[in-house]
């Protein structure tokens, strides 16, 4: 995922909502000892705050469409001036970005935080010592914010949702349904091999997750259904990253694997090269688990939301991924 090419995509904004409570604990030390419980659904009167954990954004960015979408659900959204700040290529220093996230998460008057922006920087916030509250926590985002979502689930906290508040109405409605505790339709992809698999979802940007392997913030994939997406990476670079995943052993105990949208420049492929679909299948089809491709999520539209840690079923015969109630 190239930082600058990502920022050029209006659909590439990373958005997140977090519902919390309680004192913070470091993501790297939070044990998963008890069965995780989901956060309470958002409701009319919920208060949200926008935060930019990564690359600076155009100070003229208009957030009116986002605030109007929240208002239609009875939610209020604060847009602090700090999200339009700039320090080098970030919205603020690592410590300032970490402090703004922790302040929001520990504010008892807030029901959530919306991550805006993308590019690069969320992993640096984790490195600086970000603490999560010791309660289930809604967190809607994708792209660079995948680092925060993965760390949240590694901490044993449900509520992280890979998705966006921008995009078409159907996409936004699915996000609203997940945040409101309503049922959602299965996502339709293309089955490649295998039958059915059940497990907890781990959904992420491939590049971001690759750079968390070996850190305290990379969650266990044992028994998981892994869903990957990326943007701006040629097939040979995707091959390089998936080879790292295979060599590190993190794919050894998966329940199933699926791919969302992988978009790149066609001139990155030379005659005789693997196509993107071919390299994804070549690197993932021999894992001995169900494989589904072309789910409608990732950079671009639609980017359908999926909740990390939620029990789901991947059906490679029908090509569907559905959430368990």
């Amino acid at each position: 995922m190239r930082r600058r090419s990502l920022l050029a995509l209006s659909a590439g904004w990373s958005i997140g909502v977090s519902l919390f409570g309680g004192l913070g604990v470091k993501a790297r030390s939070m044990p998963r000892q008890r069965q995780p419980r989901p956060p309470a659904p958002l409701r009319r009167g919920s208060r949200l705050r926008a935060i930019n954990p990564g690359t600076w954004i155009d100070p003229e960015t208009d957030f009116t469409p986002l605030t109007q979408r929240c208002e239609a659900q009875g939610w209020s959204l604060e847009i602090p001036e700090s999200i339009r700040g700039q320090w080098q290529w970030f919205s603020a220093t690592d410590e300032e970005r970490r402090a703004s996230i922790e302040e929001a998460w520990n504010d008892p008057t807030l029901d959530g935080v919306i991550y805006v922006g993308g590019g690069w920087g969320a992993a640096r916030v984790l490195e600086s010592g970000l603490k999560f509250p010791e309660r289930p926590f809604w967190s809607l985002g994708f792209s660079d914010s995948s680092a925060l979502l993965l760390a949240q689930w590694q901490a044993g906290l449900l509520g992280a949702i890979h998705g966006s508040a921008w995009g078409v109405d159907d996409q936004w409605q699915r996000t609203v349904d997940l945040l409101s505790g309503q049922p959602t339709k299965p996502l339709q992809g293309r089955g490649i091999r295998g039958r059915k698999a059940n497990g907890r979802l781990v959904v992420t940007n491939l590049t971001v997750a690759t750079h968390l392997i070996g850190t305290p913030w990379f969650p266990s994939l044992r028994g998981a259904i892994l869903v990957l997406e990326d943007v701006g990476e040629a097939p040979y670079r995707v091959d390089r990253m998936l080879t790292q995943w295979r060599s590190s052993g993190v794919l050894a105990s998966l329940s199933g694997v699926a791919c969302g949208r992988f978009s790149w420049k066609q001139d990155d492929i030379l005659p005789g090269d693997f196509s993107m679909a071919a390299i994804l299948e070549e690197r993932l089809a021999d894992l001995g688990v169900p494989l589904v491709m072309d789910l409608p999520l990732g950079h671009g539209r639609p980017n359908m939301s999926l909740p990390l840690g939620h029990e789901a079923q991947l059906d490679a015969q029908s090509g569907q991924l559905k959430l368990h109630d």
Side-chain angles (χ1 to χ4, degrees):
M1 182 183 64
R2 295 179 178 177
R3 178 178 62 89
R4 295 193 183 278
S5 64
L6 166 64
L7 292 177
L9 298 173
S10 61
W13 289 97
S14 169
I15 301 294
V17 180
S18 305
L19 181 67
F20 74 94
L23 300 176
V25 295
K26 287 188 177 180
R28 66 182 66 195
S29 62
M30 176 68 179
R32 195 181 306 162
Q33 296 178 341
R34 298 179 299 274
Q35 185 73 8
R37 58 188 176 89
L42 290 183
R43 63 206 182 281
R44 297 192 67 83
S46 291
R47 295 184 60 242
L48 310 173
R49 181 182 297 167
I51 293 177
N52 183 358
T55 300
W56 65 275
I57 62 176
D58 184 343
E60 301 301 318
T61 299
D62 183 11
F63 288 99
T64 302
L66 181 55
T67 58
Q68 290 177 341
R69 278 186 160 179
C70 291
E71 288 170 358
Q73 303 303 317
W75 309 336
S76 63
L77 174 63
E78 300 175 11
I79 308 292
E81 193 58 34
S82 60
I83 67 172
R84 295 183 169 90
Q86 181 178 358
W87 176 75
Q88 302 298 322
W89 52 62
F90 303 113
S91 64
T93 67
D94 297 341
E95 292 72 20
E96 289 169 339
R97 285 178 285 127
R98 184 197 72 216
S100 67
I101 294 172
E102 291 181 344
E103 178 184 357
W105 281 354
N106 289 285
D107 183 342
T109 71
L110 284 178
D111 295 291
V113 58
I114 295 187
Y115 298 128
V116 299
W120 160 240
R124 288 179 56 128
V125 174
L126 292 173
E127 181 196 28
S128 73
L130 177 67
K131 296 180 180 180
F132 290 135
E134 197 175 352
R135 294 187 185 178
F137 193 95
W138 286 121
S139 181
L140 168 68
F142 81 115
S143 190
D144 184 59
S145 294
S146 293
L148 300 174
L149 306 183
L150 291 173
Q152 178 176 335
W153 176 231
Q154 165 59 15
L157 301 171
L158 283 175
I161 295 179
H162 183 280
S164 174
W166 303 102
V168 297
D169 289 344
D170 287 350
Q171 173 183 308
W172 168 243
Q173 186 57 55
R174 180 180 176 89
T175 299
V176 169
D177 290 341
L178 287 173
L179 292 169
S180 303
Q182 300 300 312
T184 58
K185 295 180 180 179
L187 297 185
Q188 184 66 55
R190 177 170 59 90
I192 300 297
R193 62 146 292 148
R195 294 181 179 275
K196 295 181 180 180
N198 295 282
R200 291 190 181 272
L201 287 171
V202 176
V203 192
T204 186
N205 175 269
L206 174 61
T207 300
V208 171
T210 299
H211 290 85
L212 289 185
I213 292 175
T215 72
W217 307 292
F218 190 87
S220 170
L221 299 182
R222 181 177 297 276
I225 295 175
L226 175 66
V227 184
L228 299 170
E229 65 85 27
D230 216 326
V231 64
E233 300 292 350
Y236 81 90
R237 290 193 291 269
V238 170
D239 181 9
R240 177 189 296 153
M241 287 186 280
L242 289 177
T243 299
Q244 164 65 10
W245 285 61
R246 292 167 63 97
S247 301
S248 67
V250 298
L251 299 178
S253 301
L254 285 176
S255 177
V257 61
C259 294
R261 188 176 299 104
F262 280 74
S263 55
W264 70 100
K265 293 182 179 180
Q266 291 295 331
D267 59 8
D268 280 336
I269 303 178
L270 299 177
D273 285 355
F274 280 102
S275 67
M276 184 65 78
I279 197 58
L280 288 171
E281 185 171 345
E282 196 273 341
R283 293 279 76 190
L284 298 173
D286 67 349
L287 297 176
V289 299
L291 171 62
V292 170
M293 306 273 282
D294 299 333
L295 290 177
L297 61 91
H299 292 77
R301 298 177 181 178
N303 180 16
M304 295 301 191
S305 298
L306 286 173
L308 278 73
H310 196 102
E311 292 281 358
Q313 181 180 87
L314 183 69
D315 187 342
Q317 294 181 303
S318 68
Q320 289 190 339
L321 175 63
K322 64 179 180 181
L323 304 179
H324 290 310
D325 295 334

